[in-house]
Amino acid sequence: MSAGEHASRAGHVHDVVVIGGGVVGVTLARALSRYHLDVVLLERDEEVGFGVSKANSGIIHSGIHADPNTVKGALEWPGNVAWMTLRDELGFGLAQVGELLVALSEDELVSIERLHAQGQAKGVPGLERWDQQRVRRHQPNLSREVIAALWAPTAAVINPYEAVMLIAESAAHNGVEVATAEPVVAIDPPDPDGPIVLHTPARTLAAHYVVNAAGLYADEVAGMAGVGTFSITGRKGEEYLLDKRLAGLVTSIIFPCPTATSKGTLVTPTFDGTIMVGPTAEATDDKRDTATTPEGAKEVFAAARRLVPGIDERDVIAEFAGVRAVADTDDFVLGPTARRGFINAAGIQSPGLTAAPAIADHLVEVLREEGLQLTERDEFEPRVEYPVRFAVLPMEEQAALAERDPRFARLACRCELVTEAELVDAVDRGARTLDGIKFRTRAGMGRCQGAFCTWRCITLLADRRGVPIPRITKRGGDSWIVCDRDDADAAPPRPPVPATSPPAPAAVEVAGSPGAGS
């Protein structure tokens, strides 16, 4: 069957299909929704942002780090600036806390000088060289071995999963079809007179243009399209989240001087008041390897204590790992390919989160140059309603909400003070999994890591979505949580979780979910 016949079977030719619902894919989809276009975004996981985008340090880099002679270096600072506009439009958590790049020896002063000059060449404002006394006044809990630092006030911390989900929601409100749990499994050979035809397990789609933003799998998708000119390898990074009692231990992002393969182990104050340490940088052939390890923890905490001696692994409340998509070019792979209409947005490693809005703008221009007609829509709406965050509201506003809706008076998560009303809103806005609720509301992210609220979230998800409890998963796929022994199609029986977990009804078995961390 020819591409034209496949397109006929699909019934419609879309203007653009974006493959991949990570930060680059959703930001591009939203950018395209400003125009009179028919756009579809396809994501293989159960929800957007569940791949590389959810498991990173959540840092918007200051703009000094990447070599300006690379693609990623050219887009780093414009991306930083663009995030501030996105934050103003969508309201997700972002705080401009600044960063300190610290030197622990005379030899490391060379790195500070190089990055200072690099930042100045890019036009990054506010850069300052600090001596030991200035560093200690600003961050008194840093190691006394710190002899100097470079201060960059433009760095910020962000909740990357919250941002991705709100950006995708904005794209959908503006007409983009956001299709999750729909991986691309095949792409038809080129037809010089026809569109690009893609296949998912659910359907066949045809498009004039396809943007490959498939993250760790971008090389495989490019191979399906017959333009597999690069390869992606994984680089795993383990991160450790510390208890909120350490809030204020550092108030800016603390960077060591970088190595050839990594920016090193950072100490980061998160937007929500916890401290995060990591990541490691370990090559891996398994793109789904998100397990943390004793070796990784030892490496992270040894390095973190060199920067901040008061850090202790006994304060860990959660641990997780993410796998970065590293192209063999060691740079972003952006632009058109030998196949007409097929465009890559691959190899988006650090500073990929920072650069994402600038990558989206760059890709819009690439599509324009490739022939896509772009006519702006007068009705584009840049804002979406930001969810209520009950925990941060003044008491008077909390009381008024509870008076108006009794679900605001019912606490679902004690650690993070998340109400039942917030869980309902998260499901109504698209949460399909336990992690989908967690990333939208923070339920399960506190000290007890869901021991109190997990069962409440599961039952509410099942009730609100109208599905049996055993169909609720942690993050989609086979990450099942509960097994009904009488339901042969649910999942095989597994050992129950420890008795500290929320009780389940007698006819239901509660099982541990695979993987490590949150």
Side-chain angles (χ1 to χ4, degrees), residues 77 110 130 135-136 148 331 338 351 370 435 439:
W77 172 238
V110 175
W130 286 5
V135 170
R136 290 197 61 77
D331 199 356
E370 290 295 297
D435 276 359
F439 293 151

Side-chain angles (χ1 to χ4, degrees), residues 9 293 316 341 420:
R9 190 178 75 182
T293 63
V316 171
E420 181 182 310

Side-chain angles (χ1 to χ4, degrees), residues 41-66:
L41 184 144
L42 300 174
E43 166 54 42
R44 63 179 289 150
D45 285 325
E46 194 75 13
E47 303 199 39
V48 296
F50 268 23
V52 177
S53 295
K54 78 173 178 60
N56 62 59
S57 300
I59 293 172
I60 304 302
H61 290 294
S62 62
I64 68 173
H65 290 279

